[in-house]
Amino acid sequence: MKVLFIVSNTGYYRSGLSNPLGVLSIATYLKTNGFDVEVYDRNIDKRKLKKLMKSYKPDLVGVSIVSSRGLKDARRVSRIVKSFGTTVVWGGQMPTMQTELCFDCPYIDYIVMSEGELTFLEMVQKMDKRESIEEIDGIAYKKDGKLVITKSREFADLNKLPLIDWTLVNPRDYYQKYIYDDMLYLFSSKGCPFNCSFCGNLGYHRCLHRRRATDLTLDEIENLVKNHGLKAVYFTDELWCAKKSDAYEFCEKVKERNLKFYWGCDSRADQYTKEDLQMLYDSGCRWLLFGGESGSELMLKKINKGVEAVGVEEAVKNCKEIGIAAIVTLVVGLPGETEE
């Protein structure tokens, strides 16, 4: 059975094209389980979809949509795929969070909810055997005009998922020049235990933080450093190393392996002391992103941030003294916020 994964075209990107980690993880998982897969990222791949459909002849097409920016192109490619009579499955944050809205598109057969590795594998296994997939966990579909969402699927154990197969794409196509040259987005964990009111973490990750073993993450980085010239990593984790002990383990193992790369991640301003930050710097950390969100203590409480504004100022001050670039996100116009 052949599966084609399409990454919809977002039309533009701010600092550089992000590699489709979710799609690559699912495609790798299917490939290691014996299925024929191909990844077609329309942001960089200039092949015509109709020609690809004729030459590759997929039995199933998965369309990835992270946000509404990819919605227009997702509809376009789904219409083309359906003209070949092929099953269309959407996945990603947009279809998971706005499932009913996405089904306004008449070319969708199914939506895979939340993470897709386990769900997609069960789906293609059943389709390969010509069995019904309507009862499997973690999908949505329309039946008799009504939206059906099956039981939520339990999350995968990240330590049981294979390392991304970088033969599916050329990693250099995704190297960034944002902060550092030859930087790539990777992950070491998924989800976040906190529940900020504006964040999609609750709907997508159910406020559950899951971490992959440090050695697996470093195996992936070491391969990219040695074989593909990788110089820097931006960890896309919603919260990198929720436990301080995990951060220390990571830094110690980077030194043990003598791995030379720069890195940064998303963190919380109240997470590390100045001594901790020095330890991060010594292992290659050169930037940290903190969710400041607001300078108003009242608004911070309203959005359930759990961090005081003064704590953000202290974290930025400590980072500056050590040599780590502090990036602070701010949200303007939160519900209930006044001009003052």
Side-chain angles (χ1 to χ4, degrees):
M1 185 170 183
K2 293 183 177 181
V3 182
L4 174 65
F5 288 99
I6 299 178
V7 181
S8 58
N9 192 335
T10 59
Y12 70 99
Y13 39 88
R14 182 185 61 195
S15 54
L17 180 62
S18 179
N19 47 308
L21 283 172
V23 165
L24 291 173
S25 181
I26 298 170
T28 298
Y29 193 55
L30 293 190
K31 185 176 177 180
T32 57
N33 279 277
F35 290 95
D36 189 331
V37 298
E38 184 161 341
V39 175
Y40 170 56
D41 187 343
R42 286 173 58 80
N43 294 280
I44 60 172
D45 196 326
K46 301 307 178 185
R47 289 178 294 174
K48 298 296 183 181
L49 178 56
K50 287 184 178 180
K51 288 185 177 180
L52 179 57
M53 289 293 295
K54 290 177 181 178
S55 61
Y56 185 58
K57 298 178 181 178
D59 302 289
L60 176 72
V61 172
V63 182
S64 172
I65 312 156
V66 175
S67 71
S68 58
R69 280 168 44 183
L71 198 57
K72 184 177 181 180
D73 190 58
R75 289 177 62 94
R76 181 184 298 114
V77 299
S78 298
R79 175 176 54 79
I80 294 172
V81 171
K82 286 307 294 180
S83 72
F84 286 83
T86 307
T87 301
V88 174
V89 181
W90 280 18
Q93 287 199 336
M94 174 75 183
T96 298
M97 307 294 284
Q98 297 287 343
T99 310
E100 191 158 9
L101 173 66
C102 285
F103 271 113
D104 284 346
C105 175
Y107 312 112
I108 308 174
D109 295 296
Y110 301 96
I111 285 176
V112 167
M113 307 291 285
S114 192
E115 293 177 5
E117 288 88 351
L118 301 182
T119 306
F120 238 106
L121 178 61
E122 185 176 355
M123 179 180 283
V124 296
Q125 286 173 336
K126 285 187 175 292
M127 290 182 67
D128 199 31
K129 297 176 183 177
R130 300 187 182 280
E131 296 176 357
S132 172
I133 65 174
E134 292 189 353
E135 300 302 319
I136 70 174
D137 294 343
I139 65 168
Y141 55 91
K142 280 285 188 76
K143 189 171 186 177
D144 299 326
K146 294 182 179 180
L147 177 63
V148 178
I149 300 178
T150 64
K151 177 185 173 184
S152 295
R153 181 178 291 275
E154 293 298 316
F155 287 123
D157 181 345
L158 299 183
N159 296 310
K160 293 181 179 179
L161 295 179
L163 298 181
I164 287 175
D165 182 347
W166 288 103
T167 66
L168 292 167
V169 294
N170 180 3
R172 286 185 170 277
D173 288 341
Y174 298 97
Y175 280 7
Q176 306 280 311
K177 293 186 179 297
Y178 170 60
I179 304 179
Y180 274 90
D181 288 351
D182 298 333
M183 182 191 81
L184 193 66
Y185 291 102
L186 298 174
F187 77 91
S188 66
S189 69
K190 293 187 179 184
C192 175
F194 296 94
N195 186 21
C196 301
S197 64
F198 57 85
C199 184
N201 173 57
L202 174 62
Y204 199 81
H205 290 290
R206 305 170 215 159
C207 294
L208 182 66
H209 182 266
R210 296 165 294 135
R211 185 169 177 269
R212 185 167 65 166
T214 298
D215 284 324
L216 291 177
T217 298
L218 294 181
D219 286 346
E220 187 162 63
I221 294 171
E222 190 165 6
N223 167 50
L224 288 163
V225 169
K226 290 183 176 180
N227 299 314
H228 299 281
L230 182 72
K231 294 179 182 176
V233 172
Y234 196 140
F235 290 107
T236 62
D237 309 28
E238 284 78 10
L239 178 64
W240 184 82
C241 286
K243 297 178 182 177
K244 191 179 291 191
S245 58
D246 292 336
Y248 271 81
E249 180 198 24
F250 176 87
C251 294
E252 288 167 2
K253 289 194 171 183
V254 168
K255 291 181 180 178
E256 287 174 8
R257 293 188 183 215
N258 197 30
L259 261 178
K260 304 298 183 184
F261 70 101
Y262 297 117
W263 60 274
C265 63
D266 293 2
S267 183
R268 285 177 64 86
D270 59 353
Q271 196 168 6
Y272 299 115
T273 65
K274 191 172 183 180
E275 182 183 7
D276 299 332
L277 292 171
Q278 184 64 57
M279 178 266 302
L280 297 181
Y281 180 90
D282 291 342
S283 70
C285 178
R286 292 297 182 269
W287 70 94
L288 289 173
L289 184 145
F290 301 118
E293 320 314 359
S294 176
S296 163
E297 299 298 341
L298 175 62
M299 294 312 300
L300 288 173
K301 288 180 181 178
K302 280 190 172 184
I303 64 176
N304 199 31
K305 184 65 185 177
V307 174
E308 296 181 352
V310 66
V312 179
E313 292 183 42
E314 182 68 16
V316 172
K317 176 176 174 290
N318 288 337
C319 283
K320 184 176 181 181
E321 290 178 2
I322 290 170
I324 296 175
I327 306 167
V328 180
T329 61
L330 297 167
V331 184
V332 179
L334 288 164
E337 187 175 63
T338 64
E339 189 172 329
E340 182 184 2

